Amino acid sequence: MHPQIPHESAVHHVTGEALYIDDLPSSPTTLTGRVVYSPHAHARIVSYDLSKAKNAHGVVAVLSANDIPGHNEMGPVVKDEPCLADGVVTFVGQAVFLIAAKSDAECRAAEKLIEIKYEPLKSILSIEDAIAANNILGPERTMQRGDAKAAFRTAPHVVEGELRTGAAEHWYLESQASLAVPGEGQEIAVYCGSQNPSETQTLVAEVLGVKKKDVLVEVRRIGGAFGGKETQGNHVACWSALLAHATRCPVKIRLFRDDDMIMTGKRHRFLTRYEAGFDDVGRLLAVRFELNSDAGAATDLSFAIMERAMFHCDNAYFVPHMTVLARVWKTNLPSNTAFRGFGGPQGMAAMEAIIDRVARFLQKDPAEIRKTNFYGLEASNVTHYGQTVENNRLHLMFDQLMQSSEYAARRKAVAEFNASHEFYKKGIALTPVKFGISFTTTFLNQAGALVNIYNDGTVLVNHGGIEMGQGLHTKMQQIAAAELGISVDRVRVNATNTSKVPNTSATAASSGTDMNGAAVKNATDILKGRIAEGVAAFFNEKRPTVPTSAEDIRFEDDTIFDVRHTDRRIGFAEAMPQMVLRRISLSSTGYFRTPGIGWDKAKGVGTPFRYYAFGMAVSEVLVDTLTGAVTLLRTDILHDAGDSINPAIDIGQIEGGYIQGVGWCTTEEIKWDRDGNLMTHSPDTYKIPTAKDVPADFRVNLLEHATNPNAIHGSKTVAEPPFMLSLSTWLAIKDAVSAVGGHATEPEFSLPATNEVVLLSIEKLRSQMKEGASRKVSV
Ligand code: MTE
Ligand code: HPA
Ligand code: MOS
């Protein structure tokens, strides 16, 4: 249905013409903004003196919390996040003062002249410490089905354990940036990289003490966000707005990479405790999870993220008796935030760890245990929160991927390799993903659009979604063109702008295409209805005897025609001036709200998701057991993208998501020192995957004949789910480590499986084997 086109900004990306915030033209009056942040994890602000800084050369304004004209409050859900610290600082990197000056050098010089006295307070820097101090954020939550406790008593086997999953830095290529331009009176325009411009507009209005009608937020594109700008793009927007408001000059802030890494929140660390009961074939009978997350210093989206972890700790498996207990802990670190998968990866990692242990315990292939436990097609198909898994593609995908990846033969080859190599070990693993699509906060599942057709037959699409590299605007262009029956080059998608489409939700939860696409279609449907009337009238003026009715008008191949009298036709571009002559409006809004969803938050039961996305991966790795170094040999992915609107973009999303996940699973380790200073604050200490880390043999395929009845044009979102396919690589590494002990002993493992984790795990296995051997000798 859709002609294949490259990403709408592809050429601009490679020529450098694509405009990011720092590329926007600045006027001679544009000032540079700088954020002065806390060097303490927790401290009382005893006193400060800004007078020297204010008088420094080139400085136009230095602001503190006292200078905020409106509310000093930016929490998106709970109001526990000040825009500028007031009286106390709660993490290293928290904004305390803002400086505007002619140049960055002058800002830095002025910063040195700020006098401030802190009185350090006791800080909490780990989940364990937060638990010990009972520093819980909000009430704990549970989801439950059946009676896990009773089932454990009768289960033939029970394993218990603990899994730690790490934080991760979003590492968007464009660091947080914003340009605020004051207009007449109270007017202010903010050009920034927010995934949620409507929320940015709200917060800018609140900190300035003005109304939303006076605040315009525009986002042309973001140079990557990955959840890191779902709420935390708001801060830099508000800071630039405050400085612009105070100086009456445009102010641009672009965070230096290290500052961005120090100041902004990461993926939530989790400490998960689990217990799983199973039978002799490896069928799960009962599972109990205790999920603990590190929220950092403020609430942000932590509860929604924990909720998604609770919804996804089943991953793809039916567990008749399940109890999930969840606690969100407060620490003195930057407030952790949305990151691709939004708690899903943390929940799924724990379940996949269980499956892996069950397989090792029973000495069976983990892929077999996975298949045994997949949600069924007809029975055993209801999740622990009561949603039926419809259009379940797990079994079909498993069969196809086992075949195409030659899993059985390669499993055998891996075993042979391991038998004949002492210091190199190979590992292989298959993991599935089932990911629920919709915001779990139900009211957020709505979107809007504004489509303008001009009298030259070209079309400008506005919608509420943000282009952050994922190809959303390309898909919107394709959908509008397909609906209007015109070629894609007649359609352009505008920068996202709060004055065009108001009250929108974040572009998040993988729902950008589904929701905005449906809103665009709603607008084009309305326009087509009007145009059909106009074109029918136009035809009938010429041939009144056999009239054309509006219902018979079709839009195809850049023409509009009567399907019953196909000689009655007019070019799309030729028809539009006729519409204007007939006083027909060629502009329409569109709106969409996701149908069929809703759940009871208190009970934890219902249908939070419109549908599920499915994916599956087989990964093979080579581990050097003397250094802990890991090489990715091959990864095969089969992903369900429905009737893909743009397969090239979708495959790009799958590749990128998987590789981003590999970073989280392997090399991306965030470390803070004992005072809460981020030690891994630049690429020299924080290792994201590079082109060299892509599996040597990387095969990504889309599931064929996979129409999705629940989204626009039969498509299915890609977006977040492929991130979690990286768990196949994590468990392939564990499989290789396990081979050191002949798969007889459960290796110690955590996530990320850094070289260090891998090496320590291997050393431990080796020493256990030695002890075992010497014990044998001495008996
Ligand atoms: N792809 C790129 N290139 N850049 C991004 O920032 N964000 C991811 C995903 N893919 C992201 C990306 C996240 S976290 C989400 S929720 C979705 O894109 C959001 O966009 P969509 O719903 O339009 O797919
Ligand atoms: N995903 C992303 N962002 C969100 C969600 C979600 O499920 N719920 C609320 N904000
Ligand atoms: Mo994505 S974490 O929902 O922005």
Side-chain angles (χ1 to χ4, degrees):
M1 178 178 189
H2 291 285
Q4 288 314 294
I5 55 167
H7 192 288
E8 45 82 38
S9 293
V11 172
H12 295 330
H13 286 156
V14 294
T15 58
E17 282 173 281
L19 295 178
Y20 295 90
I21 302 304
D22 207 27
D23 304 318
L24 294 176
S26 56
S27 76
T29 56
T30 303
L31 302 172
T32 296
R34 181 166 176 84
V35 187
V36 180
Y37 57 76
S38 161
H40 294 283
H42 193 193
R44 198 168 68 81
I45 300 175
V46 180
S47 63
Y48 60 83
D49 183 352
L50 302 177
S51 52
K52 282 188 196 143
K54 281 182 179 172
N55 291 326
H57 188 260
V59 170
V60 185
V62 183
L63 306 181
S64 72
N66 292 334
D67 303 307
I68 294 179
H71 299 294
N72 181 16
E73 197 36 81
M74 300 212 308
V77 183
V78 178
K79 299 288 170 203
D80 63 353
E81 210 173 340
C83 180
L84 293 176
D86 192 3
V88 59
V89 287
T90 55
F91 62 94
V92 173
Q94 182 174 8
V96 185
F97 304 114
L98 301 171
I99 304 175
K102 297 232 159 55
S103 71
D104 188 49
E106 286 164 329
C107 283
R108 285 166 192 267
E111 179 175 354
K112 296 209 176 86
L113 300 175
I114 290 179
E115 290 165 10
I116 179 162
K117 266 204 205 103
Y118 291 101
E119 176 197 317
L121 303 171
K122 192 175 164 343
S123 56
I124 294 176
L125 297 169
S126 69
I127 296 180
E128 286 84 346
D129 287 353
I131 293 174
N134 198 27
N135 207 28
I136 196 161
L137 198 61
E140 66 178 35
R141 286 183 58 189
T142 53
M143 273 183 202
Q144 188 165 345
R145 169 169 57 195
D147 186 348
K149 239 189 194 159
F152 285 130
R153 281 197 291 273
T154 53
H157 314 286
V158 176
V159 293
E160 263 184 279
E162 208 173 78
L163 176 70
R164 278 180 177 70
T165 58
E169 163 61 37
H170 300 81
W171 243 99
Y172 27 70
L173 289 181
E174 183 188 25
S175 62
Q176 302 270 6
S178 173
L179 169 67
V181 183
E184 296 176 359
Q186 306 275 41
E187 280 175 7
I188 188 158
V190 180
Y191 304 88
C192 64
S194 167
Q195 283 174 254
N196 193 349
S198 288
E199 189 171 74
T200 307
Q201 180 195 22
T202 302
L203 291 168
V204 167
E206 285 178 5
V207 298
L208 295 184
V210 302
K211 295 293 179 196
K212 290 172 79 168
K213 65 177 172 50
D214 294 320
V215 180
L216 179 147
V217 177
E218 180 169 302
V219 182
R220 166 73 271 180
R221 61 171 63 75
I222 313 183
F226 308 109
K229 296 167 184 173
E230 183 169 341
T231 59
Q232 303 205 355
N234 294 329
H235 300 59
V236 70
C238 287
W239 296 327
S240 68
L242 280 168
L243 287 171
H245 186 85
T247 62
R248 308 307 301 161
C249 291
V251 177
K252 182 154 77 182
I253 303 180
R254 183 180 61 80
L255 296 186
F256 182 59
R257 172 69 58 187
D258 293 41
D259 291 336
D260 188 312
M261 292 179 80
I262 290 165
M263 296 168 72
T264 63
K266 325 251 163 268
R267 180 180 294 282
H268 289 64
R269 291 191 284 188
F270 269 55
L271 167 59
T272 300
R273 302 198 171 106
Y274 60 80
E275 192 177 353
F278 52 99
D279 65 15
D280 293 335
V281 296
R283 193 179 305 278
L284 293 170
L285 304 172
V287 174
R288 183 181 62 79
F289 281 115
E290 181 197 308
L291 306 173
N292 297 284
S293 76
D294 175 359
T299 306
D300 189 86
L301 298 171
S302 296
F303 291 115
I305 288 163
M306 180 53 94
E307 196 165 75
R308 192 169 274 275
M310 297 173 85
F311 281 133
H312 286 84
C313 57
D314 60 339
N315 194 7
Y317 311 112
F318 176 75
V319 185
H321 300 277
M322 182 130 150
T323 303
V324 188
L325 172 69
R327 298 193 183 105
V328 177
W329 300 96
K330 195 170 165 174
T331 60
N332 293 108
L333 294 169
S335 187
N336 290 320
T337 194
F339 195 153
R340 205 171 195 166
F342 204 77
Q346 294 93 320
M348 284 180 196
M351 179 50 106
E352 291 303 340
I354 288 176
I355 299 270
D356 189 69
R357 286 195 60 179
V358 169
R360 194 168 292 100
F361 181 93
L362 296 173
Q363 295 286 302
K364 287 179 189 284
D365 188 324
E368 188 191 316
I369 306 294
R370 292 194 161 88
K371 186 180 164 65
T372 303
N373 286 289
F374 281 156
Y375 279 105
L377 298 175
E378 303 292 336
S380 304
N381 60 351
V382 178
T383 62
H384 56 292
Y385 47 90
Q387 175 156 357
T388 303
V389 182
E390 284 166 355
N391 302 308
N392 177 350
R393 288 165 178 166
L394 292 164
H395 300 266
L396 175 70
M397 294 174 76
F398 182 85
D399 293 345
Q400 287 188 15
L401 186 65
M402 287 292 276
Q403 277 271 323
S404 64
S405 69
E406 307 155 288
Y407 181 90
R410 286 167 60 207
R411 163 66 68 200
K412 213 165 142 248
V414 164
E416 282 164 14
F417 177 92
N418 290 342
S420 58
H421 290 76
E422 190 179 354
F423 296 120
Y424 283 101
K425 297 289 177 192
K426 285 186 177 178
I428 188 168
L430 172 147
T431 61
V433 163
K434 164 187 130 289
F435 194 80
I437 302 303
S438 289
F439 284 95
T440 56
T441 308
T442 306
F443 88 90
L444 296 175
N445 294 290
Q446 52 178 319
L450 169 67
V451 177
N452 296 337
I453 305 177
Y454 296 98
N455 68 357
D456 65 352
T458 64
V459 178
L460 185 67
V461 174
N462 297 272
H463 62 89
I466 297 296
E467 175 59 44
M468 52 188 115
Q470 86 279 38
L472 176 61
H473 282 1
T474 312
K475 290 183 175 179
M476 296 305 102
Q477 185 186 6
Q478 288 179 279
I479 287 168
E483 288 296 326
L484 293 169
I486 57 178
S487 47
V488 286
D489 51 18
R490 287 186 190 274
V491 183
R492 195 168 73 79
V493 179
N494 207 19
T496 311
N497 185 312
T498 52
S499 72
K500 301 291 196 300
V501 183
N503 309 318
T504 52
S505 293
T507 303
S510 300
S511 62
T513 296
D514 294 5
M515 296 208 305
N516 292 290
V520 167
K521 180 179 182 317
N522 178 235
T524 55
D525 281 347
I526 293 167
L527 289 166
K528 279 182 354 187
R530 291 185 204 149
I531 294 167
E533 295 282 350
V535 169
F538 172 75
F539 288 156
N540 291 339
E541 265 170 25
K542 292 189 181 155
R543 266 178 278 207
T545 44
V546 196
T548 286
S549 108
E551 288 89 73
D552 293 332
I553 294 292
R554 296 290 179 274
F555 297 73
E556 277 171 31
D557 297 331
D558 288 304
T559 53
I560 305 173
F561 61 96
D562 177 344
V563 71
R564 287 173 193 273
H565 311 94
T566 50
D567 59 323
R568 296 179 191 174
R569 54 176 57 239
I570 180 169
F572 185 88
E574 287 69 49
M576 292 309 116
Q578 290 296 330
M579 300 302 108
V580 176
L581 277 177
R582 276 158 211 279
R583 297 192 288 177
I584 289 170
S585 163
L586 292 178
S587 174
S588 176
T589 60
Y591 180 76
F592 176 75
R593 70 171 83 89
T594 309
I597 49 171
W599 64 288
D600 182 331
K601 215 176 167 107
K603 295 199 182 107
V605 177
T607 306
F609 304 117
R610 179 67 177 142
Y611 63 86
Y612 291 103
F614 300 102
M616 222 169 272
V618 171
S619 292
E620 185 180 344
V621 302
L622 176 73
V623 172
D624 178 338
T625 65
L626 296 179
T627 64
V630 173
T631 310
L632 276 53
L633 298 175
R634 174 172 163 186
T635 292
D636 293 55
I637 291 176
L638 182 59
H639 202 84
D640 172 14
D643 291 335
S644 172
I645 293 172
N646 193 316
I649 283 178
D650 287 348
I651 286 175
Q653 283 286 293
I654 296 165
E655 291 172 345
Y658 162 80
I659 294 292
Q660 191 168 40
V662 165
W664 176 60
C665 286
T666 60
T667 57
E668 293 187 39
E669 189 178 29
I670 301 256
K671 282 197 168 175
W672 290 274
D673 70 11
R674 65 183 64 177
D675 297 320
N677 295 300
L678 183 67
M679 294 161 79
T680 48
H681 54 75
S682 76
D684 58 5
T685 42
Y686 187 73
K687 171 75 177 78
I688 62 168
T690 61
K692 268 290 268 162
D693 300 305
V694 173
D697 188 351
F698 195 17
R699 309 182 190 193
V700 177
N701 286 296
L702 302 180
L703 183 68
E704 289 180 354
H705 313 297
T707 301
N708 173 22
N710 296 312
I712 181 89
H713 293 177
S715 68
K716 195 174 256 199
T717 185
V718 177
E720 294 169 281
F723 183 95
M724 289 148 270
L725 294 174
S726 59
L727 292 171
S728 61
T729 301
W730 180 59
L731 290 176
I733 298 169
K734 189 175 173 194
D735 187 46
V737 170
S738 172
V740 173
H743 301 292
T745 315
E746 181 64 30
E748 262 180 30
F749 218 56
S750 56
L751 191 159
T754 56
N755 283 13
E756 201 176 348
V757 167
V758 169
L759 199 55
L760 285 171
S761 183
I762 289 169
E763 295 290 315
K764 182 140 194 194
L765 283 178
R766 287 215 167 106
S767 67
Q768 280 168 349
M769 283 158 68
K770 250 191 226 147
E771 271 173 35
S774 56
R775 237 183 276 130
K776 259 180 224 150
V777 173
S778 61
V779 169

